[in-house]
Amino acid sequence: MGGKVGSARVLVTDLDGTLLAGEEHDRRRLHGALNRHPDITVVFATGRSLASVQTLLRDDPLVPSPRWIIADVGASVIDASRMVHLEDLQGQLRAGWPGADRVRAALRRFPQLVYQDGVPQEGRCSFYLNPEGLSDSLKAAVKVLGCSWSYASGRYFDVLPARASKGRALRLLGRTLGWPRQATLVAGDSLNDLSLFSQGTHAVVVANAEPALAASVPASEQVHHSALDGAAAVLEGMERLGWLARRSVVVGYHRPPVCWLDGAWRPPSSPNGILPTLQAALADERLDAVWAAAHIGEAPPPAEPVTADVGLPLSLLPLHPERWAGYFHRVCKETLWPALVSRPDLIQDRPADWADFEEVNAAFARHIGSLAAQGGTVWLHDYNLWLVPALLRAQRPDLAIGLFHHTPFPHPDVFRRIPAAGQLLNSLACLDWAGFHTSDCGDHFRQLLVGTAGPTPRVGVHPLGIDRHAVADLARTRLQPRHGNDGTQLVLSVERLDYAKAPVHKIRALDALLAQTPRLRGQVRYRLVCPPPEAGIRAYDSTRSELENAITQINHRWGTQGWEPVDYIPRNLDFPQVIDHYLAADVFWVTSLADGMNLTAQEYITTHYATDRPGVLILSRHTGVAQHVGTAALLTDPLLPHDLVDTLRAALVMTVNERAAHITCLAGLLNTPPPAEWAHTVIAAIRDARASLHRPRRASALQ
């Protein structure tokens, strides 16, 4: 369709069947795009009257605000900023109009015409008419009146002034305002839009258009016949002209860094460290990035948050709660997550819900593709979007596509236990690059793809760290003096409720320790900050029940007046409150059965080192961070109950000097790059992997 001319951009669009048609998500995307591009002049060209358009603008929040309105099938032209008719132009369009009363009287002899009572109209006379009633005698009668006519959608028959049409109104308005034809895009779906397509402008015929319109307007360099309906086709037309700013980098993650709650954008309450770390990583404007994420709800939020709210532009994909439940609550958590944490015995085969997983991934692929610039980079995150690579590769072969796994990646034998393993493998093979926190996970991925056809994705190991400076600065502001020292020690865990975090294992280990070492009774308290999953997730119900029962039993067995061994906090805390708990803790206890990295361990080390507080980190050997700090932490294996007990006892008997040296040593091993540097490195790796496809290379270069 060619490029834009100068800085002027004019979108002229029909309403019903065009701007108002298609999926709500696409209407919302179009609304947001026009809000972000106020340089695009919006013109409605509709069969509706001004009164009808005003009602629509009042009642439908997804209708963009027009600057001009061509109404009444071209018989009215309105300045929408003041809602006043342009009488000079209308005078030219309505010249010779006999008036609605005379038209109705002259056509009363045609019983097939049914006047549209209750439909506001000016400068025209509108009827309902079945196709078989459009006779030559009716056309001749209109001509005798000195009028023209329009028939659309097999139902609507409009008698118009002889010089009135949407196309002529556009021509007069454009000439008056100096709009270049090559800077104008028209969009329509019915035959009463036909005159718009004869003005020499760029044009898009929506996929849901009347067949007669599509047949009357052949595709050409300027006229695009879209495969999309309604608003999506209008968006596509603007994108083809280069009117909409696309981003060099599109980040795809199923969750946004903020959520719409109680009438405002708010940060998520989960202690999940990935969201704030990703936000910090992507805040660098040099990346030219946009974050594509899901918004779950019956209705969309009023507007997407601006850059200042989240650190980078955010583009939300609305998903119905029922679709989200099948996709995330069931497939992600009950089919895929057990495989990732090497619990194939818990994998649920959910064919009915798999359709939701496929549909959400398809919607993400379309959404991401609409945001990415030509030759851009797509950076996906985690297993929730495993089907996107294949779908996106088919739609946008120009893109560089990478996926970073924040989770563990299982051994191929476990991966193949997933019911749709073949479909997922075919999609993952479409990646240019796959990233992991540890070399073990990268090796599992390589082994899985052995034998797949074509070039395999390049694999990168890029451990993710936290924004240590930000965490340290916050810790210093939260530091409170300790009041006295009664010899009691606080052991802390901060984790979401998940069987992979082994919370029940810790309660049993503490119970065994208190039984074996009576002197620790009353001298140690274990605080578990363990917020529940979002409502609707059932995968952890048995873990929660078992955990709560175990806590009740241990507190009943060992508790005394004024002391209980376990302080359970089953709710979300703000991050400053989490920092307070880190600072208060003598021992931080991480017992994950499988973990991609574990950022809470890094946060604990950073807070204590920044405030010169001694502390001890007990760290599961199965976390990614254990591969980076090694035996500087007290390593433990949660699969061995006696090892959990022995390691906890060893932590509790360490001296203050030993703990200070312990924290200093751990802090020196936190050498992961700052989040922004990490993001630049990963994006460069994705781009280089894509570029390598166009260079001569040996097979070993893929490893």
Side-chain angles (χ1 to χ4, degrees), residues 446 454-459 692 695-703:
R446 287 191 185 95
T456 54
R458 182 174 289 181
V459 173
S692 70
R695 298 195 300 260
R697 61 181 179 176
R698 297 173 299 175
S700 60
L702 296 174
Q703 305 304 315

Side-chain angles (χ1 to χ4, degrees), residues 613-615 655-665:
R613 286 208 166 186
T655 67
V656 171
N657 288 339
E658 288 173 334
R659 294 178 181 196
H662 176 82
I663 286 294
T664 299
C665 180

Side-chain angles (χ1 to χ4, degrees), residues 460-530:
V461 177
H462 296 277
L464 171 63
I466 61 172
D467 188 339
R468 293 194 295 277
H469 292 298
V471 172
D473 289 344
L474 179 58
R476 294 185 190 103
T477 68
R478 305 292 293 187
L479 187 62
Q480 299 292 329
R482 294 192 177 187
H483 300 288
N485 186 2
D486 59 3
T488 301
Q489 298 192 65
L490 176 64
V491 179
L492 174 70
S493 296
V494 178
E495 60 199 26
R496 67 182 184 275
L497 180 67
D498 188 331
Y499 51 79
K501 301 295 184 181
V504 180
H505 296 61
K506 288 193 281 276
I507 302 300
R508 290 173 178 164
L510 178 61
D511 186 44
L513 178 64
L514 293 174
Q516 296 171 16
T517 316
R519 63 181 173 81
L520 290 176
R521 299 171 192 170
Q523 299 302 304
V524 62
R525 173 177 282 115
Y526 174 48
R527 180 172 296 155
L528 175 59
V529 179
C530 188

Side-chain angles (χ1 to χ4, degrees), residues 309-365:
D309 294 328
V310 296
L312 77 163
L314 180 63
S315 184
L316 296 176
L317 171 67
L319 294 175
H320 192 278
E322 291 184 4
R323 180 79 73 187
W324 176 261
Y327 158 76
F328 187 70
H329 296 171
R330 294 189 283 276
V331 171
C332 288
K333 290 301 181 182
E334 297 181 9
T335 301
L336 301 181
W337 183 246
L340 289 167
V341 297
S342 299
R343 289 294 308 272
D345 56 303
L346 297 179
I347 293 175
Q348 300 290 317
D349 188 357
R350 295 192 168 279
D353 296 313
W354 188 253
D356 290 324
F357 187 80
E358 291 177 317
E359 177 53 38
V360 170
N361 274 257
F364 260 103

Side-chain angles (χ1 to χ4, degrees), residues 653-701:
V653 300
M654 286 176 67
T655 67
V656 171
N657 288 339
E658 288 173 334
R659 294 178 181 196
H662 176 82
I663 286 294
T664 299
C665 180
L666 287 170
L669 294 171
L670 292 185
N671 57 3
T672 52
E677 182 181 334
W678 176 80
H680 278 282
T681 300
V682 170
I683 291 169
I686 297 171
R687 289 171 172 167
D688 185 64
R690 180 63 179 171
S692 70
L693 294 175
H694 303 286
R695 298 195 300 260
R697 61 181 179 176
R698 297 173 299 175
S700 60

Side-chain angles (χ1 to χ4, degrees), residues 582-635:
Y582 286 150
L583 291 171
D586 300 283
V587 178
F588 193 66
W589 201 8
V590 178
T591 61
S592 306
L593 301 173
D595 223 332
M597 172 52 67
N598 194 283
L599 299 178
T600 60
Q602 298 185 46
E603 291 167 354
Y604 176 78
I605 295 168
T606 301
T607 57
H608 277 248
Y609 183 71
T611 57
D612 295 319
R613 286 208 166 186
V616 184
L617 173 64
I618 302 176
L619 186 60
S620 167
R621 298 177 182 273
H622 306 295
T623 62
V625 71
Q627 296 192 24
H628 301 285
V629 301
T631 55
L634 296 188
L635 296 181

